[in-house]
Amino acid sequence: MEKIGFVGVGRMGANMARRLRDQGFPIAAVYDVHQEAAKTVALELGCEAANDLKHVTRLSDVIITVVTDDKAMRSIFTGGLLQRSRGKLFINCATVSPAVHVWVEQKAEKTGAQALEACMASSITQAREGTLYLMCGGREAAFNRAKPILEKLSASMRYIGPAGSAAQVKALVNMVMNINTAGLAEGLGLGEALGLDLALLREVFSQTGANSRVLQTDGEDMQNREHSCFFSAAHAAKDSGIALRLAKEQGLNLPLAAATKKQFDKMVVEGLGGLDKSGVAELTFKGRHLHK
């Protein structure tokens, strides 16, 4: 059984590591820019908290990366992770630009390593339970090698195509999700301003064309101002930005996606980027502190 290392052990990465450990996979090493977080997870899992990236690669056969953005991805792959990486497999789970995944694959293959993007369309609970929805892109050989690991992390998994293709799909998933989230916040905000019973309104939404997955996950939280973070407003802004850049490359105008990004950008500017995406309701409900 291949030894696994993790780069990035925040809430998603740490829970993925816990899940694989529980499924019998040997976790060799973990690394995080926040060293205390890495040490805590390493102590729990009984593995090494690596002081640098090259040490993770040395100790592991498969390295799973769960970092924040394009800059972080480029940083780890130019910062030692590819040192002596021949024969290693890198499974990259962050939501980053498709071009970055293509770049990572090219860099990895030059060293004799493999790279696969495994984009996640689920959250923290699913990471711990092994019920993620995964969209994978890269060489089929890399996908086939990764399958025994990814099957233990996911309830459903799709191979999309070459490097970058899964990241394109993920960008569209999050773009539409973010639009739905902002739209739901406006619908519930107007409903409250009209004096409607929001529990009743949400039930009606659920039985009509206003229904969405976001209604199930975020509707009650918007009403109750419960914005504990599962997918942050800052990440929503970032991911909508990825989709808009793809649209610009294709010469497409996406006004709804652009307006949605402005909403989440405003949350970041107001210092609320760490709230869950449901926090966008703070911009629309009458009388709330961000409503203007």
Side-chain angles (χ1 to χ4, degrees):
M1 189 172 283
E2 296 196 286
K3 294 176 290 185
I4 299 173
F6 273 83
V7 175
V9 284
R11 287 174 296 181
M12 288 298 288
N15 278 316
M16 293 164 71
R18 291 179 183 113
R19 167 67 181 177
L20 291 178
R21 184 273 317 270
D22 290 350
Q23 294 299 304
F25 285 90
I27 307 301
V30 298
Y31 174 89
D32 198 281
V33 291
H34 303 290
Q35 291 189 348
E36 287 305 315
K39 290 176 182 177
T40 299
V41 174
L43 183 64
E44 177 188 346
L45 299 180
C47 68
E48 188 162 337
N51 291 321
D52 55 45
L53 292 162
K54 63 185 178 183
H55 201 50
V56 180
T57 303
R58 185 175 68 81
L59 293 174
S60 310
D61 302 306
V62 177
I63 300 92
I64 297 176
T65 71
V66 194
V67 298
T68 53
D69 54 23
D70 289 5
K71 182 179 179 181
M73 276 286 280
R74 290 185 183 276
S75 177
I76 63 174
F77 279 98
T78 56
L81 197 59
L82 287 173
Q83 189 167 323
R84 297 183 180 180
S85 60
R86 180 169 297 277
K88 311 289 184 173
L89 169 64
F90 297 92
I91 302 175
N92 305 303
C93 298
T95 301
V96 299
S97 300
V100 173
H101 280 297
V102 174
W103 175 83
V104 166
E105 182 183 74
Q106 292 171 346
K107 294 280 286 185
E109 290 183 348
K110 283 181 180 178
T111 70
Q114 296 172 292
L116 182 77
E117 63 204 73
C119 304
M120 305 179 289
S122 311
S123 193
I124 299 161
T125 303
Q126 290 76 33
R128 185 67 183 90
E129 295 174 349
T131 56
L132 295 169
Y133 185 91
L134 297 176
M135 297 158 281
C136 300
R139 309 277 187 198
E140 286 196 62
F143 175 66
N144 289 333
R145 180 178 173 185
K147 275 179 76 172
I149 297 168
L150 299 182
E151 285 172 347
K152 298 301 184 182
L153 289 171
S154 64
S156 187
M157 175 173 50
R158 293 294 300 271
Y159 175 70
I160 305 296
S165 59
Q168 290 174 340
V169 173
K170 177 63 189 298
L172 300 185
V173 167
N174 283 11
M175 181 191 80
V176 173
M177 176 183 72
N178 295 340
I179 291 170
N180 286 344
T181 305
L184 176 62
E186 293 190 3
L188 294 178
L190 178 55
E192 185 185 68
L194 293 171
L196 298 175
D197 180 329
L198 291 194
L200 182 147
L201 183 61
R202 287 189 289 106
E203 195 277 328
V204 172
F205 278 2
S206 74
Q207 301 301 314
T208 62
N211 193 22
S212 68
R213 179 68 66 84
V214 170
L215 175 64
Q216 300 171 33
T217 59
D218 291 14
E220 187 174 3
D221 290 342
M222 289 179 177
Q223 180 180 344
N224 296 334
R225 305 184 75 173
E226 169 49 58
H227 306 308
S228 298
C229 188
F230 289 88
F231 180 78
S232 73
H235 278 101
K238 170 182 70 77
D239 295 352
S240 288
I242 292 172
L244 286 168
R245 287 194 296 275
L246 292 174
K248 185 177 180 180
E249 291 169 4
Q250 298 302 317
L252 288 178
N253 178 38
L254 303 181
L256 294 181
T260 297
K261 185 177 186 303
K262 286 181 180 178
Q263 289 289 80
F264 287 110
D265 283 342
K266 183 175 181 180
M267 290 187 67
V268 173
V269 169
E270 295 283 349
L272 299 177
L275 293 183
D276 191 79
K277 70 184 188 301
S278 64
V280 74
E282 300 301 312
L283 302 179
T284 59
F285 276 61
K286 198 170 184 178
R288 296 192 179 180
H289 66 285
L290 283 181
H291 175 75
K292 293 180 173 63

